[in-house]
Amino acid sequence: MTNIPTFDRHRRLRRTAGMRDLVRETHLHKTDLVYPMFIVEGEKVRKQVPSMPGVYQLSLDLLTEEIDELEELGIQAVILFGVPNEKDEQGTGAFIDEGIVQQATRKIKTKVPSMLVIADTCLCEYTSHGHCGVIHDHDVDNDASLELLAKTAVSQAKAGADIIAPSNMMDGFVAVIRQALDQAGFTQIPIMSYAVKYASSFYGPFRDAADSTPQFGDRKTYQMDPANRLEALREAKSDVHEGADFLIVKPALSYLDIVREMKNNFDLPIVAYNVSGEYAMVKAAAQNGWIDEQALVMEKLLSMKRAGADLIITYFAKDVAKWLVEKNR
C-alpha cells in the first residue's frame, strides 16, 4: 500500500507489556487501600456475611490473627465498624469506653501500633431503630444527634483511633466533632468525612454485615439523592469549611464523576468507598464463572484512582495486595 497519509502512531506505546508498563499513567499501590472490618462481641466468632463471600464478622479474640495477616500483606489502614449485642434508642454502645470499636482499637494499636485505625463514627449499628441519629416525632433529630456523635468521636480518639470517619450525614457534623475533639485535646486527630454519601441501593450487603437496616422509613432525608451533582459540591464545601481533612465519596463506582469533581475542586485527599454492593456483584459473577475477577477488580479500582481518588476503602484490599505482590515478582 502506497501513499499512506501522515497520521499519529499511538500503537507504538502499546506494542509490548514492558512498553505499556513504562507509560502507564495510573498506578494502584498497597498504601492506597483501606480494609473494612466488622467487629462483634463474643468469642471465636468468625461468621461470613452471606451476601459478601470472604467478608466476616470477627470477635475481639480473633482480631489479632486478622491484623497479623493484614500487616504481612502490607495493608496499612483499617476502618472499624462495631456490631454490639445490645442496642438502644440512643446508640449508647457507640460512645461508651468499653464499646466494641473502642476495645478493638486498643487491641489493634497494642498489637501493631503502626496500623492506622479509622473509626467509623455513626450510631446506626448501635440504635435499636437502625437510624444514624436520635429519633423525635418519627424523624431523625439533627441537632440532638450531633451531641452523641461528638461523644462517640471523642471516645474513639481516647481509645487510640488515628482517624475519625463520621458517616452519619447530619448537617454540621464535622464542625461539632472538630470542636469536641479539639476541646478534649485531640487537635492532631484528622476527620475523614463522608462528605458525599448517596442514598444508594448498593448498601444492602453492608446492612447485613453491620446489622444496621432501619426499622422504619429510610435514610433519604439525610443521605443524598443519587441524581444530584451540585449538591455534592455544596456538601463537600461545608465540610472543608468546618475542618474536614479527607473527603469520602460513597459509593464509588457509579459516582466516578463525583470523585473527579471532588479532585478538581478541593485540595484535600479524596477517598473512594468501593461499597458492599459493588463487591457482592463481582463476587457473584465470579462464582458463576462469568468474569475474570482479578482483572475486573483491578480495572475497577484503577478507574477510581484515575477519577481522582487518593485512597480506596475496599473489601477487596487483601486480594488486591496479594495480586500486586504476584505481579511484581
Side-chain angles (χ1 to χ4, degrees), residues 78-80 94 101-102 105 116-122 149-168 173-174 176-178 180-182 186-195 243-248 271 313:
V78 296
I79 183 167
L80 301 183
V101 163
Q102 288 81 352
T105 299
L116 282 171
V117 174
I118 305 168
D120 178 79
T121 306
C122 196
L149 292 164
K151 288 175 65 175
T152 300
V154 171
S155 175
Q156 292 168 336
K158 285 181 178 178
D162 298 287
I163 299 172
I164 298 300
S167 60
N168 53 87
F173 69 93
V174 173
V176 170
I177 289 173
R178 182 74 272 161
L181 289 172
D182 291 351
F186 296 108
T187 57
Q188 79 280 14
I189 299 297
I191 295 175
M192 180 181 285
S193 171
Y194 285 70
D245 300 283
F246 301 79
L247 300 175
I248 297 177
V271 185
I313 301 172

Side-chain angles (χ1 to χ4, degrees), residues 240 247 262-263 265-270:
V240 171
L247 300 175
M262 295 299 108
K263 191 67 172 179
N265 284 277
F266 304 102
D267 59 2
L268 297 179
I270 306 301

Side-chain angles (χ1 to χ4, degrees), residues 144-307:
S145 302
L146 292 176
E147 180 181 352
L148 300 183
L149 292 164
K151 288 175 65 175
T152 300
V154 171
S155 175
Q156 292 168 336
K158 285 181 178 178
D162 298 287
I163 299 172
I164 298 300
S167 60
N168 53 87
M169 287 297 285
M170 297 296 111
D171 290 338
F173 69 93
V174 173
V176 170
I177 289 173
R178 182 74 272 161
Q179 181 183 54
L181 289 172
D182 291 351
Q183 290 178 346
F186 296 108
T187 57
Q188 79 280 14
I189 299 297
I191 295 175
M192 180 181 285
S193 171
Y194 285 70
V196 182
K197 183 177 179 180
Y198 285 93
S200 172
S201 299
F202 284 100
Y203 301 152
F206 174 91
R207 291 171 183 171
D208 291 340
D211 188 24
S212 62
T213 302
Q215 297 302 301
F216 65 90
D218 54 41
R219 295 179 176 144
K220 292 181 180 179
T221 64
Y222 46 100
Q223 295 180 358
M224 286 178 45
D225 185 338
N228 292 353
R229 179 183 65 86
L230 296 178
E231 183 183 5
L233 292 169
R234 294 196 300 271
E235 287 277 1
K237 184 177 180 181
S238 293
D239 288 2
V240 171
H241 176 72
E242 293 172 13
D245 300 283
F246 301 79
L247 300 175
I248 297 177
V249 176
K250 181 180 180 181
L253 191 59
S254 292
Y255 299 87
L256 295 180
D257 59 320
I258 306 301
V259 174
R260 174 47 58 184
E261 290 277 14
M262 295 299 108
K263 191 67 172 179
N264 288 345
N265 284 277
F266 304 102
D267 59 2
L268 297 179
I270 306 301
V271 185
Y273 199 138
N274 177 210
V275 299
S276 60
E278 297 167 359
Y279 175 89
M281 289 191 302
V282 171
K283 284 294 185 180
Q287 287 180 348
N288 279 284
W290 297 337
I291 59 168
D292 179 333
E293 180 179 353
Q294 178 175 337
L296 190 148
V297 170
M298 296 300 283
E299 181 179 345
K300 181 170 70 167
L301 298 192
L302 275 172
S303 76
M304 296 170 194
K305 288 290 299 290
R306 191 182 66 246

Side-chain angles (χ1 to χ4, degrees), residues 66-82:
E66 188 80 357
I67 292 300
D68 284 343
E69 180 186 4
L70 292 171
E71 183 185 30
E72 185 175 344
L73 288 171
I75 295 171
Q76 298 180 356
V78 296
I79 183 167
L80 301 183
F81 299 92

